Amino acid sequence: MNVLILGGGAREHAMALATAKSPRLGRLFVVPGNPGCAAVATIAAIDIRDHAAVVRFCRENAVDLVVVGPEAPLVAGVADDLATVGIACFGPSRVAAQLEGSKGFTKDFCREFGIPTADYQRFRDKGAALDYVRRKGAPIVVKADGLAAGKGVVVAMTLSEAEAAVDALFDGAFGEAGAEVVVEEFLRGEEISFFALSDGSGRRHSAARGITSASETATPVRTPAAWGPIRRRR
């Protein structure tokens, strides 16, 4: 089986190292890859935002399976585009990837299906967001709705920090990712990650992983492919 991994960071390096151990592996490619990946795979300078180029590479190299590392290509629908031409892809569809691509979408999803999550509001107007944080007070959590490379969340311990975060997001600190802002209840506790894989009918899961967080942080836990705080049970 020929496998293509999309991405070029440490995560993709770890995926390449693990995939290279499989006795079922034929050829391994990582696009765009990095020097670490090059030790176990063939790398190529292809823009993974160009889905047509990715599909063309797969056809030219008889790729059987594509594994997507970064969130952005999934949110942009690369899995859908690969499926359309009959290439297997390990990664969610564009619709499912909204759970990672929009914090507001995920919060609404949790609320609709009764998944415990911190109280929140979504805003596209800076004035309304500022009014809300002033009513709620601090500590409070301010988030860019979209993908921001893991940097779009501010756990504001004071009202001035919260106001500054709202100002920064609406003033373009994270570009389009901050066009909508989620303001969320602050929760204190432990971080737990739980990972599951599903093919649409069955599922396999790993053991939960607990991480001790600093006392002055929110309490995130993995909900379906996205972050959502929960309350600690006593």
Side-chain angles (χ1 to χ4, degrees):
M1 175 181 288
N2 294 335
V3 177
L4 167 63
I5 297 173
L6 296 185
R11 169 173 45 191
E12 289 74 38
H13 183 201
M15 289 177 174
L17 291 175
T19 304
K21 297 175 183 178
S22 173
R24 300 181 60 188
L25 180 68
R27 300 179 67 192
L28 178 60
F29 306 92
V30 186
V31 171
N34 58 46
C37 296
V40 294
T42 300
I43 63 174
I46 294 175
D47 185 352
I48 62 176
R49 296 171 297 181
D50 185 345
H51 296 181
V54 172
V55 169
R56 185 165 54 250
F57 182 91
C58 290
R59 286 174 165 166
E60 291 173 351
N61 293 279
V63 169
D64 301 294
L65 173 67
V66 177
V67 180
V68 186
E71 297 88 347
L74 294 168
V75 172
V78 70
D80 305 78
D81 291 339
L82 289 164
T84 297
V85 296
I87 299 172
C89 179
F90 182 80
S93 67
R94 183 199 303 266
V95 171
Q98 290 179 91
L99 287 167
E100 188 71 23
S102 168
K103 298 176 183 68
F105 176 90
T106 301
K107 297 291 286 186
D108 289 348
F109 183 93
C110 290
R111 177 178 284 172
E112 180 178 355
F113 293 100
I115 301 169
T117 189
D119 190 28
Y120 71 100
Q121 289 290 334
R122 302 172 67 174
F123 298 95
R124 285 189 171 272
D125 176 75
K126 181 167 74 171
L130 287 171
D131 288 344
Y132 182 79
V133 298
R134 288 162 183 160
R135 289 200 310 272
K136 291 293 184 178
I140 198 164
V141 183
V142 181
K143 300 180 176 182
D145 176 72
L147 295 175
K151 303 182 185 301
V153 176
V154 175
V155 181
M157 302 309 297
T158 66
L159 181 57
S160 61
E161 288 177 356
E163 291 172 333
V166 170
D167 284 335
L169 291 175
F170 279 109
D171 289 347
F174 294 99
E176 286 299 313
E180 180 173 321
V181 169
V182 176
V183 182
E184 185 176 81
E185 175 189 12
F186 172 89
L187 299 177
R188 181 181 283 108
E190 299 170 349
E191 178 179 322
I192 302 170
S193 293
F194 182 82
F195 298 91
L197 305 177
S198 174
D199 62 1
S201 57
R203 65 181 182 273
R204 299 284 297 274
H205 62 79
S206 65
R209 298 286 185 260
I211 303 172
T212 301
S213 300
S215 60
E216 299 296 336
T217 62
T219 311
V221 68
R222 279 280 179 184
T223 57
W227 290 109
I230 61 170
R231 298 182 185 277
R232 181 191 295 183
R233 296 183 181 273
R234 296 187 181 275

